[in-house]
């Protein structure tokens, strides 16, 4: 299991926003709903996106969005 990590710098913050906005665009929903799903309804933000920042931010937008959608599905998270 991943450990929870808080955002430590502006690069991680920008990446988290990038992830939220692009998943929202893919699902055609408001970014606030995706944020709530990632941060309030689950631990995807601090338990997956932030700890895996070093690996994820080197991937393509399509890969990142699809990976996050897979994580949401695996964890039963809906927006």
């Amino acid at each position: 299991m991943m450990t929870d990590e808080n955002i430590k710098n502006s690069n991680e913050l920008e990446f988290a926003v990038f992830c939220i906005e692009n998943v929202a665009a893919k699902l055609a929903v408001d970014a606030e709903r995706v944020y709530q799903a990632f941060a309030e309804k689950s631990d995807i933000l601090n338990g997956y996106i932030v700890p895996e920042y070093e690996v994820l931010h080197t991937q393509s937008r399509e890969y990142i969005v699809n990976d996050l959608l897979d994580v949401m599905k695996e964890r039963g998270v809906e927006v």
Side-chain angles (χ1 to χ4, degrees), residues 49-65:
I49 294 172
V50 176
E52 295 299 319
Y53 166 75
E54 290 299 326
V55 173
L56 287 174
H57 88 280
T58 64
Q59 305 300 317
S60 70
R61 175 181 20 199
E62 182 179 8
Y63 177 90
I64 293 166
V65 169

Side-chain angles (χ1 to χ4, degrees), residues 7-24:
I7 294 171
K8 295 181 276 311
N9 58 53
S10 62
N11 289 336
E12 289 181 359
L13 177 60
E14 288 177 18
F15 182 69
V17 171
F18 168 87
C19 290
I20 291 165
E21 289 179 344
N22 281 281
V23 169

